[in-house]
Amino acid sequence: MILRKWNYLTHQYEPYKVPDDWYVTAYENDMATKVHCACCGKQITHGQSYCSLEIHTQLGFGYDVCDECYTEERIRRFKNDKSK
C-alpha cells in the first residue's frame, strides 16, 4: 500500500510504502480495533494510537502511529520548525 509522507526539506509529500499485510488506518469506530503503526508496523489498538504528524491520507488526516513513532515525529517536526 502506498501512503503519503511529508518531507520537511522539500515541503512536499513523498510516496511511502507499507507492507500490504499491515492494517493502517486514520479512523475507526471501535477504539479496540487492532491496527498497525503506519511507521514501524507495531500492532496496537486504535485507542492507543496517535495521529501521525507526517503520514497522511489524501485529505490530510494522520494515520495511526504508536507512541514511540509519534515522539520521533514530534522531534523531527520541532527540529524543522522555522518559526522559532
Side-chain angles (χ1 to χ4, degrees), residues 8-77:
Y8 290 105
L9 299 176
T10 64
H11 296 273
Q12 295 181 357
Y13 284 103
E14 296 178 346
Y16 179 73
K17 182 159 176 46
V18 297
D20 290 332
D21 59 341
W22 286 9
Y23 179 65
V24 295
T25 185
Y27 175 81
E28 289 293 328
N29 286 323
D30 183 357
M31 299 298 266
T33 302
K34 293 187 186 232
V35 300
H36 289 92
C37 169
C39 190
C40 72
K42 176 181 174 182
Q43 195 169 48
I44 54 177
T45 64
H46 178 66
Q48 294 174 311
S49 71
Y50 293 84
C51 292
S52 176
L53 301 172
E54 300 174 347
I55 307 168
H56 300 141
T57 67
Q58 288 294 111
L59 297 175
F61 295 105
Y63 279 94
D64 291 355
V65 292
C66 68
D67 179 48
E68 293 85 5
C69 290
Y70 184 73
T71 299
E72 291 298 318
E73 287 182 346
R74 288 178 47 226
I75 291 168
R76 282 192 296 274
R77 184 175 187 174

